[in-house]
Amino acid sequence: MAKLLVLYKKPKDINVFDAYYFATHVPLAKKLPGLKKYDVSTGGVVSPAGASGIHLVATLYFDSLDAIKAALGSAEGQATARDLGNFADGGVDLYFFDTKEV
């Protein structure tokens, strides 16, 4: 299993971000080829030191790193990436990696 971890930093307007993210961006991302599962954080994203600069964490699950790369390179992946500029005004970081159960 491989994961694409998306960290959305605090936006200028949380209500505008949330409305757009769930109504528009999530449906786009759910069309990514090879996507197996998609979940998001709920409530505040905190660190051991307290509040963080992260508003929302999205985790997208795929079979492999190659599947993530193929999804991001697809027409759906390019449309999803372009859409980030429409709402993620606080910034966004993407990380992808393989996982193993321990």
Side-chain angles (χ1 to χ4, degrees):
M1 179 74 47
K3 295 181 184 178
L4 169 57
L5 188 67
V6 187
L7 304 176
Y8 292 97
K9 298 174 185 173
K10 297 235 186 250
K12 292 176 185 170
D13 186 323
I14 289 172
N15 293 325
V16 169
F17 175 99
D18 287 348
Y20 188 94
Y21 181 79
F22 289 104
T24 304
H25 192 72
V26 168
L28 279 174
K30 283 188 165 186
K31 294 178 183 176
L32 291 169
L35 179 66
K36 299 296 182 187
K37 181 181 169 184
Y38 184 172
D39 59 41
V40 297
S41 60
T42 59
V45 178
V46 297
S47 74
S52 75
I54 303 298
H55 171 62
L56 185 128
V57 178
T59 309
L60 289 77
Y61 300 77
F62 294 84
D63 285 334
S64 66
L65 282 177
D66 286 339
I68 291 174
K69 291 174 188 175
L72 294 177
S74 70
E76 296 87 351
Q78 292 172 13
T80 303
R82 278 192 306 274
D83 190 52
L84 292 171
N86 294 326
F87 70 98
D89 58 17
V92 60
D93 293 323
L94 283 78
Y95 302 93
F96 40 97
F97 49 88
D98 275 319
T99 64
K100 69 177 179 179
E101 209 166 309
V102 295

